[in-house]
Amino acid sequence: MKQVMKNDLSEEKISHFCSNFSEKIVVKSRVTSTQDYAKQVLEKGSLEKELLVVANQQSTGYGKLGRAFYSPANAGIYMTIVLPHKTPREIQQSGLFTTGVGVAVLNALQEFYPALPFQLKWVNDIYLFGRKIGGGILCESVYQMQEHSYCYVTGIGLNINVKQFPSSLKNIAETITDRGVDRNKLTAEIVKQLIEVNANYQSGKFLAQYRQHNYLDQQMVKVMREKTEIVGRVCGIDSQARLVIEDKHGKKMALTSGEVTKVYCD
């Protein structure tokens, strides 16, 4: 029997399905972006506990480097979770956190789509059949003056059943399915996985699974780091979640940041 897309996102339903998250949940029919909404909440005052913002549609959703993320109504997961009380040391370990978030999203998706081969492209993209399935994962940090601590503001955007992409995205974007899913349940599962990551990411617990699903493993790539272009073969992900690349001279380097702009076919 064909599934029907569950469009009735609600705070009550997400809370019901998410047993390990009892803090504030905000569901909006439309926002500019959940990331912007969450940061506006922080601008109004310090946040002592976690906050989850979910939207049915984003008018100006964005991902890494501010790139636009197509976020039509009733077709995806658009959410931001704010995790307060982070120390400077924790913020310095953002690579471990971001890769852990990738594993959290992967685990949640596999619960609902166990037959699909999801992969993780360093550092913040979810891939399916060689294409991105959304705006990916955007991890930002915000300092709270009154709390004397940082927050992780983590946005997640996924294309679940987008019927048609704009022409500019047709060759690079992918949607997971042409059938529906209960987005309340999927959002709750992502949150449950994120809470587990938040409690354990500093140990590097999630790196092994990240490596297993590393889309770039052993591939020749081009990485842009600020204005520097680096070309080499991906050797793996190190203990600090850095991308390890070996250049044509056999020199290895571990990158804490950068963007993989091209994957070469051998």
Side-chain angles (χ1 to χ4, degrees):
M1 184 173 71
K2 188 173 181 180
Q3 291 175 285
V4 177
M5 188 68 173
K6 306 290 186 179
N7 293 327
D8 54 339
L9 286 167
S10 81
E11 296 149 11
E12 293 79 10
K13 290 180 181 179
I14 294 170
S15 179
H16 173 74
F17 293 122
C18 192
S19 58
N20 64 344
F21 188 84
S22 59
E23 306 309 332
K24 187 174 182 181
I25 299 173
V26 176
V27 172
K28 295 290 183 180
S29 60
R30 179 184 168 98
V31 294
T32 55
S33 80
T34 58
Q35 202 76 351
D36 285 345
Y37 186 98
K39 287 191 282 189
Q40 288 167 7
V41 172
L42 289 172
E43 287 174 1
K44 294 176 182 177
S46 292
L47 195 68
E48 295 184 5
K49 296 183 179 180
E50 292 85 357
L51 168 68
L52 175 65
V53 181
V54 182
N56 186 49
Q57 182 181 10
Q58 297 182 123
S59 59
T60 52
Y62 63 92
K64 188 177 180 181
L65 302 177
R67 289 196 184 92
F69 166 45
Y70 181 58
S71 322
N74 309 325
I77 298 292
Y78 320 128
M79 58 177 281
T80 292
I81 188 167
V82 182
L83 302 168
H85 306 303
K86 300 299 175 187
T87 66
R89 174 177 171 77
E90 288 178 280
I91 296 300
Q92 289 170 2
Q93 294 178 309
S94 60
L96 288 174
F97 178 73
T98 304
T99 49
V101 172
V103 170
V105 175
L106 181 86
N107 286 340
L109 289 173
Q110 288 180 329
E111 284 288 321
F112 286 78
Y113 307 100
L116 294 181
F118 297 104
Q119 293 180 287
L120 297 163
K121 177 175 174 281
W122 188 86
V123 60
N124 61 352
D125 289 328
I126 312 293
Y127 266 53
L128 179 63
F129 305 127
R131 294 184 178 186
K132 285 182 65 172
I133 56 166
I137 298 162
L138 180 61
C139 294
E140 300 178 298
S141 60
V142 174
Y143 185 69
Q144 295 194 105
M145 293 291 291
Q146 292 180 336
E147 299 293 324
H148 302 292
S149 64
Y150 292 86
C151 289
Y152 274 132
V153 183
T154 303
I156 296 168
L158 300 171
N159 302 324
I160 302 300
N161 70 334
V162 178
K163 302 300 182 184
Q164 186 172 5
F165 287 102
S167 57
S168 61
L169 298 176
K170 285 183 177 179
N171 294 325
I172 59 175
E174 182 64 90
T175 191
I176 294 176
T177 180
D178 60 357
R179 298 194 297 177
V181 68
D182 188 328
R183 290 180 298 157
N184 292 298
K185 288 183 178 179
L186 180 51
T187 299
E189 183 61 33
I190 292 172
V191 172
K192 285 193 284 187
Q193 297 283 345
L194 287 172
I195 296 302
E196 169 71 11
V197 165
N198 187 46
N200 296 289
Y201 73 90
Q202 294 180 77
S203 68
K205 174 181 177 179
F206 305 98
L207 284 173
Q209 190 176 356
Y210 191 96
R211 293 174 182 129
Q212 288 175 359
H213 296 274
N214 180 12
Y215 173 72
L216 299 175
D217 193 41
Q218 300 304 312
Q219 299 210 60
M220 288 292 297
V221 300
K222 176 165 65 176
V223 181
M224 292 303 298
R225 189 179 183 189
E226 295 178 349
K227 296 183 179 181
T228 303
E229 182 180 289
I230 302 168
V231 175
R233 185 173 299 277
V234 174
C235 301
I237 307 293
D238 73 6
S239 62
Q240 294 302 309
R242 297 176 298 187
L243 186 70
V244 181
I245 291 182
E246 183 177 12
D247 67 15
K248 63 181 180 180
H249 304 295
K251 180 183 177 181
K252 290 184 179 180
M253 59 198 84
L255 306 180
T256 57
S257 63
E259 182 184 12
V260 177
T261 58
K262 187 171 184 177
V263 179
Y264 297 93
C265 296
D266 288 338

